[in-house]
Amino acid sequence: MKPGSRRSILGFVLIALAATSTWAASLNRAAHLFAPQPVLSSTADSSASKNSGEKIERRGRASRVALPSTIRFREVEGRGLMTRVWVNGVGEFTFAIDTGAGATLLSARVAREARVALKGSRLSLGGLSGAGTASGQEASLRSLAIGESDNLLPARGLFIVTDRLPPGVDGVLDPTEAYWPLGYTIDLPNNELSAFDPRTTPLRRNDVPSGGTIVPWISDARSRRPFVMLNGTRRALLDTGSEFGLALSEQEARAIGVIHDGRGRSRDGVRDIGGGEINARRIAPATVNIGSLVLRGVPTDLLAGAHAGAPILLGRDALQPFRLTFDPLNRLIRIAP
């Protein structure tokens, strides 16, 4: 694990809800997007996953998708996993790679320069605190390339244009949306992002990596964000856009057995897009499990002021030692050292 003391609160977490999306921009040029989500039963999760996989499979039989080349990214303090992106052949732009986003975000400047087509639907943008709203607009792209100008992605997912991104960040790339319907691997130790075709090289439940795990990709029924079961009781969002290790409310901490003495070091606050503020306190490291994988000494932050439905986050401080592979067809996630 990386030392928790050297990190400030950041990350990009967008949660898209049909015609409503909410998020928060932090005081240190980062962003978190949040919206209340229903807690699904295991039966509902299974049904949603099956239906999603069937839709991908039907589309896959109709047309094959070329695999993009592997690209490298860099981790920038206070901004996240950054890479070069071209939109509609225009660029290069600087985007943050965020598995927790739920949509790919483009700044208003990128949309203007790349002549991005805007759709009629406008989206209401709020924040982690639930205070206030801003706005964004759904968009469609002719092309999206990453790493190099000719390394094209399928770009069939959700795209939103907003003027509320932090300085120095032209956009937020959600690989689930940008690579859809392909699977992808984020190799955090080696700073690489690669794609695979889950129709020809799927993840398999019994192919568990040594020292790692393969677990169900749990659906929240409203987006494609990658949730997993934490300690077998609570859903947690795998969020490469966050520098947190484990971030959760006091109530969720008690629910999953995270014990603390009430003391802790205050961290930089997060001011959301609606004007509300989220505060965090770094407490003693926790031990949690995802499937058969036990994460020990995870840097842990208690959040105060977040909406009651805010998800538990597992960010880069917890995930840094691993290669994360996401299979959208079979709805599986592999976490391998």
Side-chain angles (χ1 to χ4, degrees), residues 74-93:
R74 67 189 189 282
E75 183 170 2
V76 178
E77 185 78 22
R79 295 183 184 177
L81 306 180
M82 311 303 292
T83 189
R84 300 182 301 166
V85 168
W86 287 257
V87 177
N88 292 345
V90 178
E92 59 188 58
F93 300 114

Side-chain angles (χ1 to χ4, degrees), residues 72-127:
R72 292 189 60 81
F73 53 78
R74 67 189 189 282
E75 183 170 2
V76 178
E77 185 78 22
R79 295 183 184 177
L81 306 180
M82 311 303 292
T83 189
R84 300 182 301 166
V85 168
W86 287 257
V87 177
N88 292 345
V90 178
E92 59 188 58
F93 300 114
T94 302
F95 277 47
I97 300 170
D98 180 8
T99 57
T104 290
L105 298 179
L106 297 84
S107 70
R109 179 180 69 85
V110 169
R112 288 193 303 270
E113 293 184 9
R115 298 185 177 181
V116 170
L118 299 178
K119 297 183 179 180
S121 56
R122 295 195 65 83
L123 306 174
S124 177
L125 305 177

Side-chain angles (χ1 to χ4, degrees), residues 16-18 36-38 219-225:
L17 284 179
Q37 299 289 319
S219 171
D220 65 5
R222 296 189 178 187
S223 75
R224 300 180 179 128
R225 293 166 303 140

Side-chain angles (χ1 to χ4, degrees), residues 34-255:
F34 167 77
Q37 299 289 319
V39 178
L40 300 181
S41 67
S42 58
T43 301
D45 285 336
S46 176
S47 176
S49 299
K50 179 180 179 181
N51 291 339
S52 178
E54 288 174 349
K55 289 177 183 178
I56 300 171
E57 190 171 20
R58 286 196 297 270
R59 284 198 299 267
R61 286 196 294 263
S63 63
R64 292 290 174 178
V65 180
L67 286 181
S69 299
T70 298
I71 65 99
R72 292 189 60 81
F73 53 78
R74 67 189 189 282
E75 183 170 2
V76 178
E77 185 78 22
R79 295 183 184 177
L81 306 180
M82 311 303 292
T83 189
R84 300 182 301 166
V85 168
W86 287 257
V87 177
N88 292 345
V90 178
E92 59 188 58
F93 300 114
T94 302
F95 277 47
I97 300 170
D98 180 8
T99 57
T104 290
L105 298 179
L106 297 84
S107 70
R109 179 180 69 85
V110 169
R112 288 193 303 270
E113 293 184 9
R115 298 185 177 181
V116 170
L118 299 178
K119 297 183 179 180
S121 56
R122 295 195 65 83
L123 306 174
S124 177
L125 305 177
L128 280 166
S129 67
T133 60
S135 65
Q137 192 161 4
E138 190 174 352
S140 61
L141 308 185
R142 296 190 304 277
S143 67
L144 181 69
I146 184 172
E148 299 292 342
S149 60
D150 59 352
N151 191 35
L152 296 174
L153 304 184
R156 299 178 182 177
L158 177 63
F159 297 90
I160 297 174
V161 174
T162 178
D163 60 0
R164 303 302 292 268
L165 291 177
V169 178
D170 298 320
V172 177
L173 186 138
D174 181 336
T176 301
E177 296 296 311
Y179 281 76
W180 185 268
L182 297 174
Y184 61 94
T185 296
I186 298 181
D187 185 338
L188 288 168
N190 294 305
N191 292 345
E192 290 184 342
L193 171 60
S194 59
F196 68 96
D197 190 336
R199 293 159 297 195
T200 57
T201 55
L203 290 185
R204 302 186 187 280
R205 285 295 301 267
N206 59 358
D207 189 18
V208 178
S210 177
T213 190
I214 294 182
V215 293
W217 179 337
I218 298 172
S219 171
D220 65 5
R222 296 189 178 187
S223 75
R224 300 180 179 128
R225 293 166 303 140
F227 286 89
V228 297
M229 291 304 294
L230 194 67
N231 288 2
T233 60
R234 288 291 193 275
R235 294 184 308 162
L237 180 64
L238 299 184
D239 181 11
T240 62
S242 169
E243 282 187 349
F244 285 127
L246 172 67
L248 71 177
S249 68
E250 176 80 40
Q251 180 180 0
E252 293 288 7
R254 290 195 299 268

